[in-house]
Amino acid sequence: MRVNVARYVPLTSEQFAQLMRSEEEEVHQAVAGNPHLSAEMVARLLDIDDPLVRIAAAQSRHVDAETRDRLYALVEAERADGSIEAEVALSWNFAEPDWLREAPLTERMTYLDCQYTTFRRVLASCHDLPEEAWRRLDNDPELVVRRAAARRPDIPPEVLEGLVRAHGDVFHIRPLLVDHLNFPRHMLRTFVDEPSPNVRYLVLQDPELPLPDLQQLAAAADSFLHRGVARHSNVTDALLEHLLSDPDPQVADDAAANSALRPTQMYRILTAAGL
């Protein structure tokens, strides 16, 4: 409970001081991530030798660019020396400078070239940026930034299509970008010839996918694609029969669970299982 309070509740000076007297690192880390800290409170965090606290302080609205660079440099140096805590703070810390979303546009735009990915990712989650900003965020070197920018309502269809083709292997996390209202769904079937099986898998988002495309996917040497075909609503009896004998038991299970399976096929499966 104390950690949750330290992380989310506006703190008085006395409460902050009491929490900082704790010897628990988790409490200090929670305090550092509290979005309601004053400039004075953040200043008291700057010399704490904890990578997570340093990165949290670096993301505060109350630190200047020089201080932010110093804190990041300290943690980068720790990571270079093999610190797991520093690696977590830099690569697996999901805290963000959420305050940036509420900042005036002119202030937000100063972070367009920020060297720290998390600031550009938060900027890309805004919906009121000028066209030049979107052009640069859509071409950001970091995928997490491009993905955040892709969530805006008016993203051009061709940008969505390009992202999916280039990075289909990470777009199975909901919501899928192919579900975006601006995604050119008529292009889904053209993914069937993409080299990445994960991009080809997205073809199966088309409920009316023609049989030749389903057969092409079922013929690929990839159980991931076979499972998708086995669950597709447009699959035929013959193709299901083929998938029921797939060497991957998960594919056969998916084929057996398809509502299009004929009663005779169901009976044969049950008989073979001794039921």
Side-chain angles (χ1 to χ4, degrees):
M1 181 180 296
R2 182 167 57 165
V3 168
N4 287 332
V5 169
R7 182 175 288 118
Y8 299 115
V9 176
L11 303 173
T12 65
S13 298
E14 293 75 15
Q15 289 170 332
F16 174 83
Q18 181 180 0
L19 289 166
M20 294 309 297
R21 284 195 292 269
S22 169
E23 296 182 358
E24 298 179 47
E25 289 185 351
E26 189 178 8
V27 173
H28 294 169
Q29 293 164 2
V31 170
N34 190 309
H36 306 291
L37 299 184
S38 66
E40 292 76 13
M41 293 174 182
V42 172
R44 292 183 58 183
L45 298 172
L46 299 183
D47 295 321
I48 294 181
D49 186 12
D50 181 319
L52 285 168
V53 172
R54 282 176 170 160
I55 294 302
Q59 293 181 3
S60 170
R61 71 178 78 208
H62 298 302
V63 301
D64 57 29
E66 182 179 352
T67 302
R68 180 172 292 126
D69 290 345
R70 177 177 68 83
L71 292 169
Y72 267 99
L74 286 170
V75 181
E76 289 281 6
E78 290 182 76
R79 177 166 67 174
D81 288 339
S83 167
I84 300 299
E85 292 78 7
E87 177 66 33
V88 170
L90 290 166
S91 303
W92 299 99
N93 181 9
F94 296 103
E96 292 184 330
D98 294 326
W99 57 267
L100 186 58
R101 295 187 181 92
E102 306 302 324
L105 179 60
T106 53
E107 181 181 355
R108 279 181 280 149
M109 290 297 290
T110 65
Y111 289 89
L112 188 58
D113 293 316
C114 183
Q115 63 178 305
Y116 310 116
T117 300
T118 187
F119 287 89
R120 302 196 311 278
R121 181 173 61 195
V122 171
L123 181 63
S125 69
C126 302
H127 291 165
D128 61 342
L129 304 180
E131 187 59 34
E132 173 60 16
W134 289 128
R135 186 187 67 78
R136 292 167 64 180
L137 292 168
D138 286 338
N139 292 280
D140 193 274
E142 295 293 338
L143 176 60
V144 292
V145 176
R146 300 197 299 276
R147 184 178 174 87
R151 297 300 177 199
R152 67 188 188 272
D154 58 347
I155 185 172
E158 61 272 16
V159 174
L160 282 170
E161 182 188 349
L163 270 172
V164 174
R165 286 189 188 277
H167 303 287
D169 55 321
V170 299
F171 285 100
H172 299 298
I173 303 172
R174 294 285 180 179
L176 296 178
L177 290 191
V178 296
D179 293 332
H180 195 291
L181 290 176
N182 285 9
F183 185 83
R185 294 193 67 82
H186 64 281
M187 298 299 295
L188 273 176
R189 296 180 188 182
T190 66
F191 290 0
V192 74
D193 294 315
E194 286 290 319
S196 167
N198 293 311
V199 178
R200 294 203 301 276
Y201 183 85
L202 294 172
V203 176
L204 296 162
Q205 293 291 309
D206 182 351
E208 301 300 325
L209 194 64
L211 178 60
D213 290 337
L214 287 169
Q215 291 171 325
Q216 180 176 337
L217 295 174
D222 191 289
S223 294
F224 182 52
L225 292 174
H226 298 176
R227 293 192 66 188
V229 173
R231 294 190 295 263
H232 199 275
S233 60
N234 221 25
V235 69
T236 62
D237 289 344
L239 192 49
L240 276 178
E241 188 69 38
H242 168 72
L243 293 168
L244 285 169
S245 60
D246 194 279
D248 185 334
Q250 289 185 311
V251 176
D253 285 347
D254 285 335
N258 194 304
S259 60
L261 199 68
R262 289 183 290 109
T264 54
Q265 292 170 307
M266 294 180 189
Y267 179 76
R268 190 179 74 247
I269 294 170
L270 293 174
T271 301
L275 300 175

